[in-house]
Amino acid sequence: MRAIILSENGLQAETVPDPVADASMVLVDLTFAGLNRRDYWISVGKYPGIVLPAILGSDGVGIVRSGPDHLVGQRVVIDPSLFWGLNEDAQGPEFSILGMPTQGTLAERIAVPAANVHLAPAHCSDEECAALPLAGVTAYRATVRQGRVAPGCTVLVTGIGGGVASFAARFAAAMGASVWVTSGKADVLHHALDEGIAHGGCLYTDADWPSVLKKQSGGFDCIIDSAGGPTVNSLLDCA
């Protein structure tokens, strides 16, 4: 099969052996794959535990070529969270994300555990399905599992232009929360407001944004920050 390989020499397309699926796995002919910031950080050498050469890509959708009979021929989306463990609140020691060191989705086909594929939503295109898993699952866990967002909550989502933040804001809004957002770009902020995703927001490039946002919103029950760093600390430290 053909795959995009990351090595010390950079990214290049190569022919590699087909993956082999054991009895607990499925072999998927990929139709679309998604890119994430994870792939970028690995490619520039700023991600922990990099092992090269590697086939990157955590997100993908495709047709099951082999595996359990009820899945063969089905269009599936791949969950890139491998071996999460028994504790729903936090990953176990065997947890890893698809795409380095495990072969990722930037290839013609992939072998993954059968438990990690799900029937693709009929109303979503392959492109949409391929953009969903890693950012979507991360945002869902932050919003629902960890954040415990519920109807009536007031939620701040920072950096609304990012993939995880965009999902988180939409999930929180769908659950009946009052959503507030920040961005470094006025057009991105206005888009979130115009689409009705957010009740209000601020540019985090404004020096007084923490106090302004707290005054406008009345305070937050949950803050979802997918990047971390001084922006949220500024808000928490603001009287």
Side-chain angles (χ1 to χ4, degrees):
M1 70 172 183
R2 297 287 286 172
I4 298 176
I5 309 294
L6 175 66
S7 67
E8 289 82 357
N9 297 321
L11 288 166
Q12 51 193 355
E14 296 183 13
T15 299
V16 297
D18 277 6
V20 177
D22 64 27
S24 67
M25 306 179 80
V26 295
L27 189 64
V28 180
D29 288 331
L30 291 157
T31 54
F32 274 87
L35 288 174
N36 289 281
R37 293 296 290 180
R38 179 180 190 269
D39 301 305
Y40 169 74
W41 291 122
I42 294 172
S43 70
V44 297
K46 295 183 178 180
Y47 193 89
I50 294 176
V51 178
L52 299 180
I55 300 175
L56 302 183
S58 301
D59 291 340
V61 62
I63 305 299
V64 175
R65 169 181 287 211
S66 65
D69 289 344
H70 71 284
L71 289 175
V72 173
Q74 297 289 337
R75 188 175 74 116
V76 296
V77 61
I78 297 170
D79 175 4
S81 299
L82 302 176
F83 315 117
W84 180 268
L86 299 178
N87 183 356
E88 292 187 4
D89 288 330
Q91 65 268 35
E94 302 301 319
F95 173 74
S96 66
I97 298 174
L98 198 66
M100 200 293 297
T102 308
Q103 183 215 309
T105 56
L106 301 186
E108 289 184 298
R109 58 191 59 91
I110 190 170
V112 295
N116 283 76
V117 299
H118 306 275
L119 296 181
H123 64 279
C124 292
S125 67
D126 284 2
E127 296 95 324
E128 290 168 333
C129 288
L132 173 64
L134 191 58
V137 170
T138 301
Y140 184 85
R141 284 193 57 80
T143 307
V144 178
R145 186 70 194 179
Q146 300 296 338
R148 303 290 198 271
V149 172
C153 286
T154 303
V155 178
L156 170 65
V157 180
T158 64
I160 188 60
V164 172
S166 296
F167 277 119
R170 285 168 169 81
F171 291 157
M175 287 183 285
S178 174
V179 179
W180 297 72
V181 297
T182 68
S183 178
K185 298 180 179 179
D187 59 335
V188 174
L189 184 61
H190 293 154
H191 178 73
L193 298 175
D194 292 342
E195 282 208 337
I197 300 167
H199 286 73
C202 283
L203 294 173
Y204 59 70
T205 52
D206 294 341
D208 61 344
W209 75 265
S211 58
V212 170
L213 200 53
K214 289 185 75 171
K215 183 178 180 179
Q216 291 179 350
S217 65
F220 300 101
D221 300 299
C222 177
I223 299 173
I224 299 173
D225 177 53
S226 59
T231 57
V232 169
N233 289 336
S234 298
L235 183 62
L236 296 176
D237 292 340
C238 180

